[in-house]
Amino acid sequence: MALTLTPLTPGFVADASGLDISRPLDDAQIRAIEKAMDDYAVLVFRDQPLDQDQQIRFAKYFGPLDLGLRKVKGGAHRFDYAELADISNVTTDGEVARRDHAKIVGNIANQLWHSDSSFQRPRAKYSMLSAVVVPEDGGETEFADLRAAYDYLPDKMKASIEGLRAVHYALHSRFLLGDTDYTEAQRNAIPPVQWPLVQTDPRSGRKILFVGIHACEVVGMTLAEGRMLLLDLLEHATQREFVYRHHWRPGDLVMWDNTATLHRGRHFDFAQRRELRRATTEEVELPIEARVAA
């Protein structure tokens, strides 16, 4: 079976078909997916419902798995694997969460433009989100192309931000939403990290404008000036011409490159059930032999 790609926007996001990702993949198939990710940064696999074991196996082909914010919060979990993030409005007892439940804060935080785990080192590379239950209306996910965002920056802005570094912190977005009930240990569980605002992807060679809601200050600038710059760059990066909106169907799996894209969930009626499962890999290179053996 061979991977077939159909672009959904020019140079960004492709429909991926021809592979059954619920089954083991070989070396050539894994490399074909990675090459497609270098080209498009987002792949949409339609009609590929996965159970938890299948999703974990697929994710492990692309690197070691990331725990993300579970390193801060921990606690009860609905899934068999701690490495599967519960992107839902459903509590651990299987009920739709009330509007004042902590799960709803997580759903709202997901509506901010971000890249997964940019607040840690190693950061996240690929995320793979599998749709189980989707609401009747709303709940789409949008993706922004940070490569195109850099390409279309004015030359003067490119020159002014070259060499600047932004600080990314895990709880910055939660604090913005009034979610501040964390112990000192939780606040320090994932120390802030710095990433250059302008990066070059080592595989594609394209330059990237690396911004997002986890970025909270710019090194060497006053807090106010740095945050204003970050807001301006985020506004630029998320213009409509750089954005694809995915309308979910049960059985969809969408895979994206967190180092080259931003994403956000869209509003939905929190009284309606929405269940998705996400596996995420760290930005660590492993030999292809090790990944296939896993």
Side-chain angles (χ1 to χ4, degrees), residues 186-225:
Q186 287 175 319
R187 289 169 181 255
N188 297 326
I190 306 178
V193 297
Q194 296 180 17
W195 296 109
L197 280 174
V198 179
Q199 303 179 17
T200 301
D201 187 284
R203 292 171 59 98
S204 70
R206 294 189 64 179
K207 285 199 170 183
I208 294 161
L209 176 62
F210 196 63
V211 292
I213 199 62
H214 299 313
C216 56
E217 57 184 283
V218 177
V219 178
M221 299 180 72
T222 65
L223 185 61
E225 187 180 7

Side-chain angles (χ1 to χ4, degrees), residues 159-207:
S160 69
I161 64 174
E162 189 70 38
L164 292 181
R165 302 177 68 84
V167 176
H168 294 239
Y169 177 50
L171 296 179
H172 176 61
S173 62
R174 300 304 178 102
F175 293 166
L176 285 175
L177 298 174
D179 180 22
T180 58
D181 188 17
Y182 295 90
T183 66
E184 195 65 22
Q186 287 175 319
R187 289 169 181 255
N188 297 326
I190 306 178
V193 297
Q194 296 180 17
W195 296 109
L197 280 174
V198 179
Q199 303 179 17
T200 301
D201 187 284
R203 292 171 59 98
S204 70
R206 294 189 64 179
K207 285 199 170 183

Side-chain angles (χ1 to χ4, degrees), residues 14-248:
D15 180 271
S17 60
L19 295 182
D20 181 355
I21 62 173
S22 71
R23 302 175 61 83
L25 302 179
D26 62 27
D27 182 330
Q29 292 167 331
I30 294 168
R31 291 188 185 280
I33 291 173
E34 290 181 327
K35 175 62 168 63
M37 290 295 291
D38 292 342
D39 293 340
Y40 293 99
V42 181
L43 297 180
V44 177
F45 295 87
R46 291 282 196 184
D47 303 316
Q48 299 255 17
L50 303 179
D51 63 26
Q52 295 181 47
D53 294 334
Q54 292 166 338
Q55 188 171 357
I56 287 288
R57 180 178 61 205
F58 178 71
K60 283 183 174 180
Y61 288 136
F62 304 101
L65 301 187
D66 173 43
L67 285 172
L69 280 176
R70 281 196 60 75
K71 285 181 264 189
V72 175
K73 293 205 165 190
H77 194 47
R78 292 199 302 142
F79 299 144
D80 298 334
Y81 298 91
E83 296 89 350
L84 285 174
D86 187 9
I87 311 299
S88 79
N89 61 338
V90 178
T91 64
T92 53
D93 60 7
E95 299 298 319
V96 173
R98 299 189 326 180
R99 297 188 81 90
D100 59 352
H101 194 279
K103 288 284 291 186
I104 301 302
V105 177
N107 277 264
I108 295 172
N110 283 337
Q111 295 176 20
L112 297 166
W113 285 109
H114 65 286
S115 59
D116 295 328
S117 294
S118 72
F119 46 71
Q120 66 182 27
R121 193 183 303 275
R123 60 186 173 178
K125 181 60 172 173
Y126 298 136
S127 286
M128 290 142 279
L129 187 59
S130 178
V132 181
V133 179
V134 299
E136 294 178 5
D137 185 53
E140 303 89 355
T141 301
E142 293 184 332
F143 298 90
D145 187 350
L146 295 180
R147 307 162 307 170
Y150 178 82
D151 290 344
Y152 285 92
L153 274 176
D155 289 342
K156 186 175 181 179
M157 178 61 79
K158 287 179 179 178
S160 69
I161 64 174
E162 189 70 38
L164 292 181
R165 302 177 68 84
V167 176
H168 294 239
Y169 177 50
L171 296 179
H172 176 61
S173 62
R174 300 304 178 102
F175 293 166
L176 285 175
L177 298 174
D179 180 22
T180 58
D181 188 17
Y182 295 90
T183 66
E184 195 65 22
Q186 287 175 319
R187 289 169 181 255
N188 297 326
I190 306 178
V193 297
Q194 296 180 17
W195 296 109
L197 280 174
V198 179
Q199 303 179 17
T200 301
D201 187 284
R203 292 171 59 98
S204 70
R206 294 189 64 179
K207 285 199 170 183
I208 294 161
L209 176 62
F210 196 63
V211 292
I213 199 62
H214 299 313
C216 56
E217 57 184 283
V218 177
V219 178
M221 299 180 72
T222 65
L223 185 61
E225 187 180 7
R227 286 191 174 171
M228 197 68 248
L229 173 62
L230 291 170
L231 287 170
D232 283 345
L233 292 173
L234 184 59
E235 182 179 4
H236 166 81
T238 56
Q239 295 177 77
R240 287 293 96 189
E241 54 265 42
F242 305 145
V243 171
Y244 162 79
R245 174 176 283 201
H246 183 70
H247 298 269
W248 291 98

Side-chain angles (χ1 to χ4, degrees), residues 274-294:
R274 183 178 187 264
E275 296 188 61
L276 300 96
R277 267 189 265 111
R278 193 191 75 220
T280 303
T281 65
E282 295 179 342
E283 190 184 31
V284 176
E285 286 294 326
L286 287 178
I288 193 77
E289 296 80 10
R291 290 183 274 159
V292 174

